[in-house]
Amino acid sequence: MRRSQLAGPVLDVAPLLLGTILRTTAAEGTVAVRITEVEAYDGPNDPGSHAYRGETPRNAVMFGPPGHLYVYFTYGMHFCMNVGVGPAGTPSAVLLRAGEVIEGVDLARSRRGTPTSKSNRDLARGPARLCVALGIDREQNGVDLLAKDSPVRLLDGPGFDGTPSTGPRVGLREAPDWPWRFWIPDDPTVSPYRPHVPKRRT
């Protein structure tokens, strides 16, 4: 994957990430995932984006050059990760939602606490599971995914030559109907769609 490919408009870049490989290397081993589902977020043009209201310490990575990993903590329990795209100063990002573990399956299963009786399908099916399987947390926020010595690398993979499926992003309160989620059709590792459900006041 070249940085120039990631420097384009987020709606052009997001589908290009389908079929790429995200590989993490740590002391305990290596895990690699083929990306099968993503969501696009277009900064100040997108009320669903973390950068909609400007730069903060939390979202600063989104304002940097393309190809860096933006990791955030959500719901007080999960990490999620994005690939920063677009030119520096344009805070667009692509959320990595799901993938197929193609290397380091045993390590991914150990991190997820998945019994051997369970299918590999769900190991990285959903953004939080994807982070756990790959060993991603806040420590990896800001890493350069294209640097050869990076512990997290975005690599060319088998790609996806067909037409991706599109639909609304998952669980958003703002702009819930924008069809900015992209996935490989009929891939079993794609996560189920869940709309935002407002919390009831007690």
Side-chain angles (χ1 to χ4, degrees), residues 40 42 45-48 52 167-169 172 174-181:
D42 194 18
N45 305 310
D46 179 3
Y52 183 60
R169 296 173 293 188
L172 287 192
E174 305 292 343
D177 299 325
W178 294 10
W180 287 8
R181 182 167 61 102

Side-chain angles (χ1 to χ4, degrees), residues 20-62:
T20 59
I21 304 299
L22 195 70
R23 175 178 285 124
T24 58
T25 303
E28 55 189 338
T30 296
V31 175
V33 170
R34 177 182 64 93
I35 301 300
T36 59
E37 180 187 8
V38 300
E39 287 179 350
Y41 289 88
D42 194 18
N45 305 310
D46 179 3
S49 170
H50 288 178
Y52 183 60
R53 291 179 174 83
E55 186 173 354
T56 67
R58 182 196 194 201
N59 67 22
V61 174
M62 294 179 68

Side-chain angles (χ1 to χ4, degrees), residues 16 28 37-38 59 76 85 87-88 95 107 114 118 126 141 151 170 193:
L16 297 179
E28 55 189 338
E37 180 187 8
V38 300
N59 67 22
V85 304
L95 174 69
L107 178 54
T114 301
K118 295 288 186 179
N141 185 50
V170 175
Y193 172 70

Side-chain angles (χ1 to χ4, degrees), residues 52-153:
Y52 183 60
R53 291 179 174 83
E55 186 173 354
T56 67
R58 182 196 194 201
N59 67 22
V61 174
M62 294 179 68
F63 288 79
H68 289 253
L69 193 68
Y70 167 45
V71 182
Y72 65 89
F73 197 55
T74 185
Y75 298 119
M77 63 180 75
H78 300 307
F79 288 101
C80 296
M81 61 179 163
N82 303 253
V83 178
V85 304
T90 303
S92 300
V94 178
L95 174 69
L96 303 181
R97 280 204 56 85
E100 174 195 10
V101 179
I102 60 171
E103 181 181 353
V105 171
D106 290 343
L107 178 54
R109 294 180 75 91
S110 175
R111 286 170 172 167
R112 287 286 328 284
T114 301
T116 55
S117 59
K118 295 288 186 179
S119 167
N120 291 339
R121 182 195 70 169
D122 293 327
L123 288 178
R125 190 177 184 227
R129 293 175 177 179
L130 181 62
C131 281
V132 173
L134 285 164
I136 298 291
D137 58 25
R138 193 174 283 111
E139 184 177 341
Q140 287 79 38
N141 185 50
V143 301
D144 186 349
L145 295 169
L146 305 183
K148 291 183 179 180
D149 60 349
S150 176
V152 189
R153 296 195 64 195

